[in-house]
Amino acid sequence: DVKVTQSSRYLVKRTGEKVFLECVQDMDHENMFWYRQDPGLGLRLIYFSYDVKMKEKGDIPEGYSVSREKKERFSLILESASTNQTSMYLCASQRVSSYNSPLHFGNGTRLTVT
Amino acid sequence: AQSVTQPDIHITVSEGASLELRCNYSYGATPYLFWYVQSPGQGLQLLLKYFSGDTLVQGIKGFEAEFKRSQSSFNLRKPSVHWSDAAEYFCAVKIPGGYQKVTFGTGTKLQVIP
């Protein structure tokens, strides 16, 4: 079974802090994604990566950056956290063997910025 | 760009009753279609997917979905709901080919009452 692990379930940070959200997958998947989940808005794609050191902006990249130094790890960085970044963050990975391969999600990190 | 609409934010059904969750998509051709489920405190899990062929798709946990091209719909159904089905359900679409961006709907929260 694919396992996608997000390092923190809950995180509380202060406005202006630099925040790192970590995600590790154990199935050698090429693609990795960061989504943000908010009530009534569903999941919105922040960034994705299709290879080591490669990244592409999603639909809402403002205020975020990412890092993928190793294939199994994809980090989301909030350079200067703001209260409107309080949300649930979901990491996902995907094999690129065929277009019908599903996304595999971690359990999420609930971030509160005060 | 593709889009997904889930018109029902919240649905309540009695245990043992049948269930139908609605999903409509907007795209010029037939996209790849998915249903995911999110139990409280968990990430998303794939229920089923449609790419081509038989328009009635069977998934896990007794769920099925029917693709109707004329209505641009991919509704999720279950003949008899169990209390453990209480969760949030997300419909998602992906354009065939190209990089593998998946667009999610806003979700439908299912409550099951005794």
Side-chain angles (χ1 to χ4, degrees), chain A residues 9 31 33 35 37 40-43 45 48 57 59 90 94-96 98-108, chain B residues 32 34 36 38 40-46 49 51 88 90 94 96-107:
Chain A
R9 289 300 301 272
N31 289 353
F33 305 81
Y35 284 90
Q37 182 181 13
L41 297 177
L43 276 72
L45 182 64
F48 74 99
K57 293 180 180 179
D59 300 317
L90 292 169
Q94 182 187 41
R95 184 177 301 283
V96 189
S98 67
Y99 290 124
N100 60 8
S101 50
L103 298 176
H104 297 269
F105 284 87
N107 286 338
Chain B
Y32 296 149
F34 307 83
Y36 285 83
Q38 185 181 34
Q42 304 291 316
L44 278 70
Q45 179 185 21
L46 180 71
K49 58 190 179 184
F51 302 103
E88 191 159 17
F90 292 91
K94 187 186 102 57
Y99 103 79
Q100 312 203 0
K101 176 182 174 179
V102 177
T103 299
F104 287 84
T106 53

Side-chain angles (χ1 to χ4, degrees), chain B residues 48 56-60 62-66 75-79:
Chain B
L48 47 78
L56 186 62
V57 180
Q58 301 298 319
I60 62 171
F63 285 91
E64 65 179 26
E66 186 171 13
N75 293 349
L76 183 70
R77 301 194 295 243
K78 187 169 185 178

Side-chain angles (χ1 to χ4, degrees), chain A residues 28-59:
Chain A
D28 203 37
H29 285 176
E30 295 84 357
N31 289 353
M32 294 188 76
F33 305 81
W34 275 106
Y35 284 90
R36 172 177 171 160
Q37 182 181 13
D38 298 289
L41 297 177
L43 276 72
R44 294 178 290 168
L45 182 64
I46 305 172
Y47 267 97
F48 74 99
S49 169
Y50 51 89
D51 202 351
V52 175
K53 297 190 186 295
M54 305 303 290
K55 61 185 180 185
E56 293 286 342
K57 293 180 180 179
D59 300 317

Side-chain angles (χ1 to χ4, degrees), chain B residues 21-67:
Chain B
L21 302 182
R22 296 184 290 166
C23 172
N24 292 94
Y25 66 89
S26 173
Y27 179 59
T30 300
Y32 296 149
L33 295 157
F34 307 83
W35 275 100
Y36 285 83
V37 60
Q38 185 181 34
S39 298
Q42 304 291 316
L44 278 70
Q45 179 185 21
L46 180 71
L47 279 177
L48 47 78
K49 58 190 179 184
Y50 172 80
F51 302 103
S52 64
D54 192 346
T55 56
L56 186 62
V57 180
Q58 301 298 319
I60 62 171
K61 305 186 182 190
F63 285 91
E64 65 179 26
E66 186 171 13
F67 168 62

